[in-house]
Amino acid sequence: MSNKPVVNSNPLRLSVFLLFGVLFLSGCIHLGGKGRFPDVEVPPESVQQIEPLVLEKAKGKEISRIDTETPAQPPTELELSLAECRALTLENNLDLKVQLINPTISAESVNQEEAKFEATFGADITYSKTNQPQAYTVDVQGNKRDVLDSKFGVTLPLRTGGEINVDLEDYKVKTEEGRSFFNPSYGNSFSASISQPLLRNAGRRVNEYSIRVAELNKQITDTQTKLEAIRIIAAVDKAYWRLYAHRRLLDVRRQQYELAKALFEETESYVEVGAKPRIELMRTRASVAEKLEAIINAENDVRDTERDLKRMLNKPGLGMNTETILTLTNEPDPVRYDIQREKMVENAIENRMEMLQLELQLAQDASKIEYRRNQKLPLAALKYTYNMSGLGPDRGDSYDSLLNDGYEDHTVNLKVSIPLGNKAAKSQLRQALYERSQRLADKESQKAQITYEVLQQIDKLEATWQRIMATRQTTILNDELYLAEKRQFELGMVTSTDVLDAQTTLAEAQRLEISAISDYQISLIDLAVATGTLLGAAKVELEPVVP
């Protein structure tokens, strides 16, 4: 009769094999499947086909002649002052809201760096059931052990670079070994240790380096946010005056239309009585159509600028698709200012956020150099460990032994590591020094750029003022010329072409005057931005947005 191996059908062993098999298969399926990350299904036609734009023909009669009526305006209006536009921008502007979230995000980076000094609680509970062969006699026998080991501890990082650890271990051992006096036996131990670097990574300055960098980054983000806020508010101010200019130009186009229409009607009466040739009627009628086209173009410019201003204001109920007319209550009052160039440049260098940002970056560079110098030092750490142990036939006896029997251990450890060559640390220090030198050069370059921008805006402001004076005088003279040409036409001394040319010249002079006035207001805004400020008597307060 042959001896066949007996298959061990231990249900515990079978359960373990099944558990590992399920975990293995589930891991394979997880790694290979589609459920690991959410997928975005993009139909191929959405990226491979370009759809045509389908337009429907408007209903109504075809245009057969030039309509000489002025297009009607929507009835709804909203009066807005420059201060109200700024208030709405601060409250609703989407670009500004995006920028004001950045300081909140940067503040969280500081909190994350501060968190590295938080204490950590740890727990490690292990149960093991073993059966190891042992040679107690001639025969090999098994040694079954049931062990329940529980460890609890607290780790406290120190700002000096060291670390404090406090641990408590409690275990229970049950064995079939005959030589064990306590079975089961209960044991425990309490240990406390403190470690402290002595050279590299030693001290608060080195270990708080990342916190200082995060705080400086937060302040840099604040400067960038303020810079963007100035740009956005200045853009609203500019849009306000551009809308003013387009509205004034629209008024000029309508006035020229009315003059052309009146000339056409006057010429029509002259032609009917035979005082003027019929070609004069054709010239004046063509001028009416031309002036009407200019009105349409001017109205489109007004709508575009109005839509841009509505987009920036983002006022509820005042969307870009609304027909509401924005009526501006502020009128420009051009005043010539006595600007002291050197003082203006000094104020700009002091106020511009770019300069403050560079100062903060230089502070970062200084901290980095200090940190890199520390990283060149050898690594030396001193550690002291204190340990108490207890043992007994039950848990209460083991803790009595721990507290009363005085089984204590003391360990002092000194560890030193000296790099041979230390090329990486030296290279990193040199790199930090080079970056600081580059930043200092960038600071001088930024000063020169700010000086250039301020002087350029001052010259532009003065030139725009001279344009206002010149265009205003030109408008007065061309208005007198138009009236003279019109009187000559009524007397039959000139043709309608001369009158129409005078009208066109007058309209161009009026356009240039309006453009000069609005450009002067915009130049004041640009000068304020170049000095890191905003126009107006009221200060603007920025509050970070917490989503």
Coordinates of all heavy atoms in Angstrom, one line a residue, residues 119-123 152-155:
A119 N 2.1 68.0 15.4 CA 2.3 66.7 16.0 C 1.5 65.6 15.2 O 0.5 65.9 14.7 CB 1.9 66.7 17.4
T120 N 2.0 64.4 15.2 CA 1.4 63.3 14.5 C 1.2 62.1 15.5 O 2.1 61.7 16.2 CB 2.3 62.8 13.3 OG1 2.5 63.9 12.5 CG2 1.5 61.7 12.5
F121 N 0.0 61.6 15.5 CA -0.3 60.4 16.3 C -0.3 59.2 15.4 O -0.9 59.2 14.3 CB -1.7 60.6 17.0 CG -2.2 59.3 17.6 CD1 -1.7 58.9 18.9 CD2 -3.1 58.5 17.0 CE1 -2.1 57.8 19.5 CE2 -3.5 57.3 17.6 CZ -3.0 56.9 18.9
G122 N 0.3 58.1 15.9 CA 0.4 56.9 15.1 C 0.0 55.7 15.9 O 0.2 55.7 17.1
A123 N -0.5 54.7 15.2 CA -0.9 53.5 15.8 C -0.6 52.3 14.9 O -0.7 52.4 13.7 CB -2.4 53.5 16.1
F152 N 1.5 52.6 20.0 CA 0.9 53.9 19.9 C 2.0 54.9 20.2 O 2.8 54.8 21.1 CB -0.3 54.1 20.9 CG -1.3 53.1 20.8 CD1 -1.3 51.9 21.6 CD2 -2.4 53.2 19.9 CE1 -2.3 50.9 21.4 CE2 -3.4 52.3 19.7 CZ -3.3 51.1 20.5
G153 N 2.0 56.0 19.4 CA 3.0 57.0 19.6 C 2.6 58.4 19.1 O 1.7 58.5 18.3
V154 N 3.4 59.4 19.5 CA 3.2 60.7 19.1 C 4.5 61.3 18.7 O 5.5 61.1 19.4 CB 2.6 61.6 20.2 CG1 2.5 63.1 19.8 CG2 1.2 61.2 20.6
T155 N 4.6 61.9 17.5 CA 5.8 62.5 16.9 C 5.6 64.0 16.8 O 4.6 64.4 16.3 CB 6.2 61.9 15.6 OG1 6.3 60.5 15.7 CG2 7.4 62.5 15.0

